[in-house]
Amino acid sequence: MGKGVNVKLILIIVGIIIAVAAVALYFKIQKDDADAAQAAWESKVIPEDEYAGIPEITEAQFYKDVEGVKGKEVLVCFYANWCGPWKKLEPVVEVIARENPEIEVVKINTDKNEDLTLKYDAYSLPALVYFKRGVEVKRHTGSPTKAQIEELIK
């Protein structure tokens, strides 16, 4: 082997090492950002003893009390017991309910109410759906901030 081949091989190896280091650094930054976001979110969670809970309704109650009532505003929270984001969001939604008594706030368990889940395409959880006069007017999926929920119900 000539000297030129050895230099090329060394340059290739150094390039691979740099690329691997860059990828590792990228994933470390992503993990650190995710950890920081999680810590910030957890610091905003309201202690369990400061909220009473959101009433859970069935499909029959939904058709009667949400779709069937034309003069009411209702925020429906589609959730599942296994949904971590909902567990953190529920106390925030309870605060919204207390601050806006003119809006009824209820929750629907998607595992127990599959027809409603299908009808309202509530597969990304949590899903907050705002109804006016029995008709869906806005929705938000995922983990909104308190300000985003307030904007949803305006």
Side-chain angles (χ1 to χ4, degrees):
M1 263 194 189
K3 200 173 191 183
V5 174
N6 288 338
V7 171
K8 286 181 183 179
L9 184 59
I10 290 172
L11 289 175
I12 290 171
I13 292 171
V14 168
I16 291 171
I17 291 170
I18 290 172
V20 168
V23 168
L25 179 61
Y26 171 80
F27 284 111
K28 182 188 181 327
I29 290 170
Q30 293 298 316
K31 182 184 179 317
D32 290 347
D33 286 350
D35 291 345
Q38 181 69 24
W41 178 254
E42 288 173 355
S43 71
K44 295 178 184 176
V45 173
I46 299 166
E48 192 169 322
D49 61 347
E50 291 186 22
Y51 69 96
I54 298 166
E56 183 174 334
I57 64 171
T58 64
E59 187 172 340
Q61 291 169 303
F62 175 86
Y63 289 121
K64 179 179 168 253
D65 298 336
V66 178
E67 284 190 345
V69 180
K70 300 301 178 193
K72 200 160 55 163
E73 295 179 26
V74 184
L75 178 63
V76 178
C77 306
F78 288 90
Y79 82 102
N81 288 330
W82 48 261
C83 179
W86 169 250
K87 291 176 183 179
K88 293 179 180 165
L89 183 62
E90 185 176 17
V92 177
V93 173
E94 175 63 27
V95 170
I96 296 282
R98 280 201 316 255
E99 293 174 351
N100 299 276
E102 72 281 4
I103 298 172
E104 184 175 351
V105 178
V106 297
K107 65 183 180 180
I108 295 176
N109 187 323
T110 57
D111 292 332
K112 295 178 183 176
N113 298 281
E114 294 175 4
D115 289 341
L116 281 176
T117 301
L118 177 64
K119 180 177 180 177
Y120 286 97
D121 196 27
Y123 293 105
S124 296
L125 300 177
L128 306 181
V129 183
Y130 184 54
F131 290 83
K132 279 188 180 180
R133 296 181 282 290
V135 177
E136 177 184 343
V137 291
K138 295 180 189 173
R139 74 168 44 219
H140 191 290
T141 56
S143 296
T145 63
K146 184 174 185 250
Q148 289 172 315
I149 299 171
E150 289 167 340
E151 183 63 32
L152 179 72
I153 61 175
K154 279 187 178 178

